[in-house]
Structures are given as structure tokens and as C-alpha cells.
């Protein structure tokens, strides 16, 4: 039958298809370039189909070699981009069914068939049903010429996307499908190379980005032009350039993650990671899992060796790419991982996800949530294992991402408990060692009921804090927090396995069981010096909430602590830096009754409670307590001049 003799029909699209086309043309997608991914994925589906079917029916290959391939032909003279494959092709009826309606996806029907015959179906791509129509986002006319194996004639389908299409029989020599897109002018214009789908580089990039892992070669002829040269190698002008054509395969075809874990060498993972995520260093950790069951997916995750230099400053981005059966859906899928794990790079490939899903819909996708939960779990599990089995590696991890984990503790209520065992702290025990909460608890001394922590700039300055004195003497270990997020995390945790986290600069140190006598002693001393304490408090009214006898001090005369409730002094500083100056810690001045300064101030008080000297001493005590906390006295000049007077012996 020749083309002239065939009967050409004009048909209406099914109502739903019309709507869909309308949406496509007036774009629910802002990202028009995905049409290429869709058409390539359809071509790949068609080849899959043929490959599977030919396993049981060799005749389908029509005696041809099974050199499956997908071809791209950009043609500037006609303004067309042609995508062809030598896959399954469609019969007349199939064309009507597949390209005229959306309710019945051809792939879906095929899957049903394969199921009946119990063949392997897992590699069949696509359940999605709208991909083909995305061609109308970039093309004013779409022509499909296709022939199914075993048919004598091909079928030609054509539409402007305006509600109708034409269909007729035609000649086609080889099986497979050719899709010719007559592009809108804006997509053939050299002015916008990114949107120009005839541009060689644009096509190469799109294939690399979206279809690199398609298992069949995606080929394109690339024409190189070169001016001829003379014997001396000089360019000869005024003669036509020599054209050479190179047939290039644009995709790499390997989808590492679908391969068997045991077959993949570490080097391969590394190369894959570096290529895919543009890193020059090998990753610290690889997590490759295949999950079967209610939701099925494969994931390869990487923890980069180093956090980006601006990791803690910038807005969060996620490094997870989403695929469905080897076909790229999107970058930076935020929905998959909690914010605190945003340093993890990798991909998730799930056949359950729709290719054509918008970001908005994706957020609501139950599958995605489920996958996300699993990813978080397996990352935490991997970190737990790393901590248990390879401490140096874990500490490397901690150095880079510890802050992120701590952020997770305070910002992610649901993950808090799972994360507490991943925390590492510096401690009073050793300046060069980090410890976990479990290790700390293990080392707690008899009678110790709480976990002590102290905040400060660095190991040396925390060790020198007056509040550390008694604890050090009693051999009680204290966790040191240097990072501003530390205290947020600790505040959020409150306790670890029933043990309260207790700041050494806050409220009661709860040493009763370790040192039962001391409490009684403190109470007695407080009674004894009651009126002095009241006088100091009065002198410092408005600055402090309370003055009391300290049970933490050994050699320092004074220290500042905060009350059991409300924020701490260090938190007040952090908040002030964040411009949240309205939050104030309750300040309590604690005095060491065995210090000679205490005796001196007591003497001044008894001599004349209203003397300037007594008042100055009160201010000086408070000033030095502030300084030891790293705070500036409220009146630095006044403070300095009082010290000068003392030094010069003006006041004794
Ligand atoms: P889906 O791929 O999710 O099924 P599409 O809208 O992308 O949905 O394609 C609709 C149907 O058209 C496909 O299921 C397939 O049957 C048919 N089809 C599209 N492109 C091709 C092709 N290159 N070769 C064979 N059939 C195709
Ligand atoms: Mg498709």
C-alpha cells in the first residue's frame, strides 16, 4: 500500500486528553525542556518492550540484529527535532489508543500482559501516561511515524495539539517509532541557546543531565567543520570547509544503582559520586540500599568528606536527586530528608513515583514521605555503626557535620531521641578526646545523679571557670560545650536516659548524694551571714536576683550563676548576638565564704554598712563575676577606676 492510497482520518482527542494538552501548552510545567526526557524515556520503554517480548518470540526482531538505539536528529533547515527508536512500534489501533487517550497507558496495558504470562516485568519503565503530550510544550506540530514488528505498513499520526489529530497508514521500512517535532520558533532560535533544541550542546547537556542512565545508546550525528590546510599547516581560506560527521553516543548508559551491590567496586562508587555531585574528593561514606515491599526503591547516598565552606551559613539545599526507573525527575528533592541531614548527597530511584509529578504534588506524596523516613533511619543507622566500629572516621564526620546533627537535636523533635547517641562532646577528662553521652554516664561516680556540662570558649577557659572548682576536686567529669548550638541542643534534650543534664552554672548542683554534709553546712553558713548577703543584694539591686553562699567554689571568691528556670547566662549572650536582647537570664551571685575577700567584705560591712568602700567592694565582686563569665561589667570605666583606687591604696 502506498501513502497516496491510504485513507486519512481526522479524529478528536478524548476529552481528558484535550484538557491535558491544554494544560501542557499553557504549561503546568515551567520546565519545558523535560519533553526530551519524556520522549527518550518512551523510546527506551518501547525498546524494553521489544526486548522482553523477543525473549519468547524471536520473530519480533524481524531478523535484524538487536542493536537497540535511540537517535536524535536536529535539522535547522526544517526547524525540526526528530527522535527515533527501533523499539516495539505501534499498530494503527495502538496509536489511536495510546496517543489519542490518556486513560489507558500503553505501558500499563503491556505490564498487565506481561504479568499474565509471568515474565519479568520489573525493568519496564513508566506508568505515567502523560509524557508524550509534553512534546506540545515545545512543538507546534508533532508527527509520529511508527511500525510494529510483523506489520506490513506503518502509521502516520499528526497533530497541532488543537483538539484533533490525523491518522493514516504509511510506509515505514523498519520497525520502531519516529517522532518529528516541528518546534516553535523560540525553540529554534540561536538567540536563546538554552531553549534552542536544535543546538547541539543543548541537546548533549539535556541528555547528560536527564537521560544519562538510559540503558540504550542515545546517538546523534555531530558535524565538525574544518578549513583545509596547506602543506605547511596554514589554513587555506576561500575554499569550502571540510565537513566530517561523528556519530556520538550522548549518554553513559550505566545506572550504577541498579547494579548489584556486590558487583560494584568502591572506586566505581567514588567515580560515580564525583561525577554526579561535582566533588573532587572521595566521599566519607556510601549507603546503597534496595528496598522491596510496600514502597520499592533503590537509593545511593553519600556523605561528602567535607562540608561546603558555607554550609552553615546558607539556606538549606538538599542533595537528593529523584529518579523513576532510571529516568531523572528532579534535583534537590527537599521532601526526602530532614533539614539537618542536608549534607547528604545521593539519589533515590523508585518505580512508584510518577515522572510527571509537580513539586507541589510531590510534597504530598505518601510514598515519598515513607521513603524519606526510611532514608533518615538508614543514615542514622549507618552513623551509629560508624561510631561503634570506626571512631576516627566518625570523629572526622563529626568535625564536619556535628553541628548539623546538633541542630537536628533541637529542631527536629521526632528525631531527637535517635540522634542523642550520635552526639560527641569535649569533656573535662581530656582536652583531646571526645565522648558520647553513654560513655559519660558509664564513667559517672558513685552517687552522681546528673550529667554536668559547662559552656565556654575553649577547653582551657572552661576548665578555669570558678564553677568547675568543686566538681574538679571531687573528680566529677563535666561535658564542655563550645558551640552556640550545643546549648540549644542540650536544652532540647533536657535529659539522657533518665539523667538530667545539669549546667554547672545553674541552680543547685545536686551534690547531695555525693556530699551530704555540704548542704547542711551551706544552710548554716547562709543563716550565719544572712544580713551581709541581704546588704550586698540591696547594693546590687536591679542587677542580680539573689546573693547566696556557694557550694561550687573552692579558691575563687565569687561566681555568677543563673536560676534553675529561665535561660542561662550563655544563652542570654547567644540571643543578644542574634539581636534578641529582651531575654535575660536570672543572675545569682554566689560567694565563697572561705575566701579571704569574703572575710574582708564582712569586716567592712560590720564596720559601716553604708560606707562607700563597702559599696565599691560589692560592685567589684559583681564586676569580676561578670568578667569570669566572659561578660562586660555594665560600667567598665567605673569598674576600672574602682580597681585603680584599690591598687593605689586610696581605699584599703
Ligand atoms: P507512558 O509512557 O507513561 O505510558 P506517555 O504519554 O509517555 O505515557 O506515552 C503514551 C503511550 O504511547 C505509551 O504508553 C506507549 O504505549 C506509546 N508510545 C509513546 N512513545 C512511544 C514510542 N516511541 N514507541 C512506542 N510506543 C510509544
Ligand atoms: Mg512516557
Amino acid at each position: 500500500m502506498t501513502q497516496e492510497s491510504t485513507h486519512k482520518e481526522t479524529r478528536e482527542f478524548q476529552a481528558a486528553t484535550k484538557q491535558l494538552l491544554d494544560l501542557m501548552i499553557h504549561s503546568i510545567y515551567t520546565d519545558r525542556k523535560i519533553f526530551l526526557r519524556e520522549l527518550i524515556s518512551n523510546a527506551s520503554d518501547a525498546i524494553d518492550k521489544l526486548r522482553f517480548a523477543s525473549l519468547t518470540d524471536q520473530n519480533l526482531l524481524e531478523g535484524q540484529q538487536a542493536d537497540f538505539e535511540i537517535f536524535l536528529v536536529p535539522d535547522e533547515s526544517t526547524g525540526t527535532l526528530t527522535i527515533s527508536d527501533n523499539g516495539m512500534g505501534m499498530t494503527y489501533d495502538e496509536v489511536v489508543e495510546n496517543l489519542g487517550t490518556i486513560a489507558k497507558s500503553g505501558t500499563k496495558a503491556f505490564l498487565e500482559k506481561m504479568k499474565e504470562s509471568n515474565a519479568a516485568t520489573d525493568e519496564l519503565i513508566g506508568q505515567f501516561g502523560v509524557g508524550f503530550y509534553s512534546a506540545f510544550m515545545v512543538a507546534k506540530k508533532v508527527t509520529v511515524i511508527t511500525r510494529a514488528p510483523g506489520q506490513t505498513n506503518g502509521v502516520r499520526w499528526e497533530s497541532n495539539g488543537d483538539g484533533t489529530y490525523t491518522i493514516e497508514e504509511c510506509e515505514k521500512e523498519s520497525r520502531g517509532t519516529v517522532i518529528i517535532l516541528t518546534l516553535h520558533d523560540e525553540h529554534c532560535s540561536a538567540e536563546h541557546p538554552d531553549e534552542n533544541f536544535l543546538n547541539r550542546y543543548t541537546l548533549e547537556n539535556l541528555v547528560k543531565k536527564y537521560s544519562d542512565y538510559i540503558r540504550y545508546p542515545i546517538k546523534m550525528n555531530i558535524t565538525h567543520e574544518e578549513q583545509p590546510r596547506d602543506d605547511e599547516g596554514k589554513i587555506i581560506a576561500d575554499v569550502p570547509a571540510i565537513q566530517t560527521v561523528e556519530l556520538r553516543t550522548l549518554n553513559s548508559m550505566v545506572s550504577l544503582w541498579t547494579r548489584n551491590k556486590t558487583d560494584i567496586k568502591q572506586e566505581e562508587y567514588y567515580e560515580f559520586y564525583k561525577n554526579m555531585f561535582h566533588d573532587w574528593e572521595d566521599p566519607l561514606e556510601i549507603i546503597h540500599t534496595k528496598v522491596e515491599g510496600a514502597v520499592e526503591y533503590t537509593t545511593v547516598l553519600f556523605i561528602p568528606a567535607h562540608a561546603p565552606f558555607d554550609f552553615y551559613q546558607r539556606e538549606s539545599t538538599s542533595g537528593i536527586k529523584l529518579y523513576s526507573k532510571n529516568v531523572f525527575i528532579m534535583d534537590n528533592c527537599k521532601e526526602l530528608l530532614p533539614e539537618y541531614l542536608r549534607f547528604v548527597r545521593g539519589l533515590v530511584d523508585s518505580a512508584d513515583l510518577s515522572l510527571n509529578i509537580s513539586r507541589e504534588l510531590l510534597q504530598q506524596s505518601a510514598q515519598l514521605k515513607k521513603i524519606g523516613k526510611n532514608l533518615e533511619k538508614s543514615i542514622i543507622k549507618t552513623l551509629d555503626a560508624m561510631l561503634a566500629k570506626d571512631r576516627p572516621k566518625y570523629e572526622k564526620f563529626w568535625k564536619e557535620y556535628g553541628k548539623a546533627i546538633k541542630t537536628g537535636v533541637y529542631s527536629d523533635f521526632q528525631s531527637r531521641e535517635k540522634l542523642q547517641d550520635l552526639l560527641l562532646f569535649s569533656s573535662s577528662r581530656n582536652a583531646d578526646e571526645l565522648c558520647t553521652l553513654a560513655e559519660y554516664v558509664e564513667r559517672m561516680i558513685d552517687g552522681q545523679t546528673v550529667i554536668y556540662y559547662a559552656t565556654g570558649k575553649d577547653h582551657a577557659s572552661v576548665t578555669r571557670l570558678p564553677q568547675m572548682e568543686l566538681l574538679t576536686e571531687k573528680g566529677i567529669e563535666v561535658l564542655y560545650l563550645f558551640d552556640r548550638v550545643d546549648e540549644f541542643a542540650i536544652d532540647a534534650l533536657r535529659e539522657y536516659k533518665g539523667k538530667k543534664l545539669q549546667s554547672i552554672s545553674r541552680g543547685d548542683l545536686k551534690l547531695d548524694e555525693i556530699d551530704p554534709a555540704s548542704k547542711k553546712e551551706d544552710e548554716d553558713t547562709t543563716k550565719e551571714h544572712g544580713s551581709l548577703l541581704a546588704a550586698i543584694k540591696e547594693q546590687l539591686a536591679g542587677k542580680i536576683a539573689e546573693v547566696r553562699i556557694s557550694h561550687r567554689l573552692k579558691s575563687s571568691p565569687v561566681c555568677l550563676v543563673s536560676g534553675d528556670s529561665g535561660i542561662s547566662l550563655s544563652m542570654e549572650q547567644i540571643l543578644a548576638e542574634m539581636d534578641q536582647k529582651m531575654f535575660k537570664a536570672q543572675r545569682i551571685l554566689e560567694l565563697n565564704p572561705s575566701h579571704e575577700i569574703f572575710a574582708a567584705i564582712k569586716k567592712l560591712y560590720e564596720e559601716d554598712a553604708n560606707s562607700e568602700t563597702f559599696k565599691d567592694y560589692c560592685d567589684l565582686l559583681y564586676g569580676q563575676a561578670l568578667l569570669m563569665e566572659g561578660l562586660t561589667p555594665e560600667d567598665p570605666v567605673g569598674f576600672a577606676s574602682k580597681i585603680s583606687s584599690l591598687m593605689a591604696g586610696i581605699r584599703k
Side-chain angles (χ1 to χ4, degrees):
M1 209 190 285
T2 63
Q3 206 165 337
E4 288 77 31
S5 68
T6 61
H7 171 63
K8 183 167 173 173
E9 273 186 84
T10 300
R11 294 194 181 203
E12 294 239 339
F13 283 111
Q14 173 209 36
T17 314
K18 270 192 208 166
Q19 283 172 2
L20 177 72
L21 271 171
D22 235 43
L23 277 174
M24 282 290 171
I25 294 162
H26 305 109
S27 217
I28 44 170
Y29 294 112
T30 41
D31 219 2
R32 296 180 172 219
K33 55 184 180 290
I34 61 117
F35 81 94
L36 187 63
R37 166 194 89 182
E38 292 299 327
L39 298 183
I40 288 175
S41 118
N42 283 349
S44 161
D45 282 356
I47 297 174
D48 272 343
K49 283 182 204 173
L50 183 61
R51 224 182 53 175
F52 275 100
S54 69
L55 294 178
T56 47
D57 183 1
Q58 275 286 323
N59 292 331
L60 291 173
L61 296 176
E62 300 181 336
Q64 290 170 16
Q65 279 281 315
D67 280 342
F68 296 116
E69 61 185 22
I70 298 164
F71 231 94
L72 303 185
V73 184
D75 184 342
E76 285 186 7
S77 66
T78 53
T80 58
L81 173 65
T82 301
I83 296 119
S84 60
D85 66 71
N86 53 0
M88 194 62 145
M90 289 176 271
T91 64
Y92 193 99
D93 291 345
E94 282 168 344
V95 172
V96 173
E97 185 172 292
N98 296 334
L99 307 185
T101 57
I102 47 162
K104 193 149 179 56
S105 155
T107 309
K108 225 179 199 167
F110 181 74
L111 274 171
E112 294 300 325
K113 241 192 237 157
M114 292 300 277
K115 255 183 210 143
E116 281 162 28
S117 63
N118 253 341
T121 54
D122 62 324
E123 277 197 42
L124 284 161
I125 297 181
Q127 293 263 20
F128 318 121
V130 295
F132 170 77
Y133 302 101
S134 65
F136 288 100
M137 295 195 299
V138 296
K140 49 189 171 200
K141 186 169 80 185
V142 177
T143 310
V144 179
I145 299 165
T146 182
R147 182 166 75 72
Q151 299 282 311
T152 41
N153 281 308
V155 183
R156 182 188 165 94
W157 178 102
E158 197 164 83
S159 176
N160 304 321
D162 56 1
T164 62
Y165 62 89
T166 62
I167 181 164
E168 64 193 308
E169 290 199 340
C170 69
E171 277 181 20
K172 187 176 186 306
E173 230 171 74
S174 54
R175 77 161 192 259
T177 302
V178 178
I179 296 180
I180 304 160
L181 308 178
T182 307
L183 297 170
H184 285 298
D185 298 345
E186 67 205 88
H187 295 305
C188 331
S189 148
E191 270 176 52
H192 310 288
D194 279 0
E195 292 279 300
N196 176 1
F197 301 117
L198 300 179
N199 181 307
R200 167 200 152 185
Y201 298 103
T202 308
L203 292 171
E204 278 182 292
N205 284 336
L206 286 180
V207 171
K208 260 265 161 269
K209 178 157 185 199
Y210 291 103
S211 313
D212 194 49
Y213 299 101
I214 292 287
R215 283 156 307 209
Y216 308 104
I218 303 164
K219 296 179 178 173
M220 185 163 77
N221 276 323
I222 291 178
T223 308
H224 302 281
E225 281 198 4
E226 209 182 348
Q227 277 309 118
R229 288 168 189 269
D230 62 18
D231 293 344
E232 283 157 26
K234 276 212 196 98
I235 288 172
I236 313 171
D238 310 329
V239 294
I242 305 171
Q243 289 197 341
T244 47
V245 177
E246 175 205 354
L247 178 59
R248 188 177 288 183
T249 298
L250 308 180
N251 57 329
S252 70
M253 292 183 277
V254 243
S255 61
L256 175 118
W257 62 89
T258 54
R259 289 165 53 195
N260 230 332
K261 252 166 96 166
T262 45
D263 298 340
I264 308 172
K265 294 192 206 78
Q266 192 175 50
E267 263 318 302
E268 289 181 88
Y269 279 117
Y270 286 177
E271 278 316 308
F272 174 79
Y273 163 76
K274 287 189 278 195
N275 274 318
M276 190 117 170
F277 297 98
H278 313 289
D279 199 349
W280 48 276
E281 268 182 310
D282 295 339
L284 186 73
E285 186 68 34
I286 304 160
I287 307 169
H288 185 176
T289 18
K290 198 175 186 144
V291 174
E292 275 153 8
V295 270
E296 307 212 338
Y297 64 90
T298 301
T299 175
V300 194
L301 303 174
F302 299 94
I303 299 175
H306 289 104
F309 73 95
D310 56 351
F311 180 65
Y312 292 105
Q313 279 98 53
R314 79 193 141 129
E315 276 287 291
S316 91
T317 55
S318 142
I320 307 297
K321 294 177 195 286
L322 209 54
Y323 284 77
S324 183
K325 284 277 179 181
N326 282 359
V327 182
F328 177 79
I329 304 180
M330 66 164 70
D331 257 328
N332 304 336
C333 182
K334 273 195 185 179
E335 291 70 27
L336 272 171
L337 282 181
E339 165 109 14
Y340 76 90
L341 288 177
R342 68 190 189 279
F343 55 85
V344 177
R345 314 271 96 159
L347 63 92
V348 169
D349 188 335
S350 172
D352 299 341
L353 294 171
S354 165
L355 262 186
N356 291 301
I357 198 164
S358 69
R359 265 194 191 266
E360 292 69 33
L361 281 175
L362 205 57
Q363 278 171 0
Q364 295 152 24
S365 157
Q367 281 129 326
L368 208 65
K369 283 210 180 93
K370 186 96 193 34
I371 295 174
K373 275 273 150 263
N374 286 350
L375 293 193
E376 185 186 7
K377 245 189 248 162
S378 74
I379 293 166
I380 293 178
K381 209 173 116 201
T382 304
L383 293 173
D384 276 334
M386 196 198 287
L387 177 60
K389 294 190 195 120
D390 191 346
R391 184 69 170 245
K393 185 171 171 183
Y394 186 80
E395 294 201 4
K396 248 189 229 162
F397 163 83
W398 185 254
K399 188 167 156 268
E400 296 298 320
Y401 308 107
K403 231 189 238 184
I405 300 293
K406 289 184 259 187
T407 314
V409 168
Y410 80 77
S411 66
D412 203 313
F413 170 72
Q414 291 181 329
S415 311
R416 189 166 297 160
E417 197 160 320
K418 289 171 268 169
L419 294 177
Q420 61 185 7
D421 280 309
L422 288 175
L423 297 174
L424 289 186
F425 296 95
S426 180
S427 100
S428 56
R429 190 163 162 265
N430 188 328
D432 308 317
E433 261 177 38
L434 297 174
C435 74
T436 63
L437 287 171
E439 286 161 358
Y440 178 95
V441 169
E442 181 72 32
R443 293 196 288 255
M444 276 169 51
I445 65 167
D446 278 352
Q448 184 181 346
T449 54
V450 297
I451 299 171
Y452 294 100
Y453 69 88
T455 52
K457 202 165 88 275
D458 51 36
H459 204 275
S461 61
V462 181
T463 303
R464 282 198 305 266
L465 281 177
Q467 293 93 331
M468 282 293 298
E469 290 176 345
L470 184 74
L471 293 164
T472 308
E473 191 198 70
K474 298 215 174 294
I476 297 173
E477 184 174 357
V478 177
L479 299 177
Y480 286 6
L481 318 185
F482 308 131
D483 214 331
R484 60 159 62 182
V485 303
D486 281 337
E487 213 177 343
F488 285 102
I490 288 277
D491 272 0
L493 272 184
R494 292 180 170 278
E495 56 168 55
Y496 172 76
K497 306 218 163 129
K499 307 253 175 326
K500 190 175 177 271
L501 289 149
Q502 167 73 44
S503 163
I504 64 159
S505 309
R506 269 191 112 139
D508 183 358
L509 273 188
K510 302 188 179 56
L511 288 168
D512 307 0
E513 285 183 40
I514 300 170
D515 197 0
S518 71
K519 197 170 175 96
K520 174 88 180 67
E521 217 175 276
D522 288 346
E523 276 165 15
D524 292 347
T525 328
T526 304
K527 234 178 246 160
E528 183 192 335
H529 304 293
S531 64
L532 168 65
L533 299 181
I536 298 175
K537 181 177 169 184
E538 201 190 312
Q539 172 57 28
L540 296 173
K543 296 175 181 158
I544 55 163
E546 210 187 313
V547 182
R548 64 186 179 207
I549 294 297
S550 181
H551 62 306
R552 322 167 206 256
L553 299 175
K554 277 285 139 189
S555 59
S556 299
V558 64
C559 72
L560 203 59
V561 300
S562 44
D564 241 339
S565 57
I567 63 167
S568 69
L569 282 166
S570 52
M571 188 66 93
E572 177 187 309
Q573 280 168 273
I574 293 170
L575 291 171
E577 277 169 40
M578 291 158 67
D579 238 8
Q580 304 279 321
K581 295 205 170 82
M582 61 282 206
F583 296 103
K584 290 273 176 224
Q586 194 188 29
R587 289 162 154 72
I588 297 167
L589 194 69
E590 290 197 349
L591 304 177
N592 178 358
S594 26
H595 199 280
E596 50 189 356
I597 285 193
F598 187 84
I601 200 167
K602 174 128 189 150
K603 186 160 167 271
L604 283 172
Y605 168 70
E606 280 162 359
E607 279 167 18
D608 179 3
N610 290 318
S611 73
E612 287 306 306
T613 316
F614 173 68
K615 288 178 184 167
D616 283 355
Y617 267 54
C618 290
D619 289 341
L620 282 168
L621 266 181
Y622 177 58
Q624 56 170 295
L626 283 173
L627 281 175
M628 283 188 286
E629 282 302 308
L631 298 165
T632 317
E634 280 128 48
D635 174 15
V637 177
F639 180 77
S641 81
K642 279 171 195 164
I643 290 187
S644 304
S645 308
L646 260 183
M647 289 168 81
I650 297 167
R651 290 204 174 105
K652 286 193 193 106

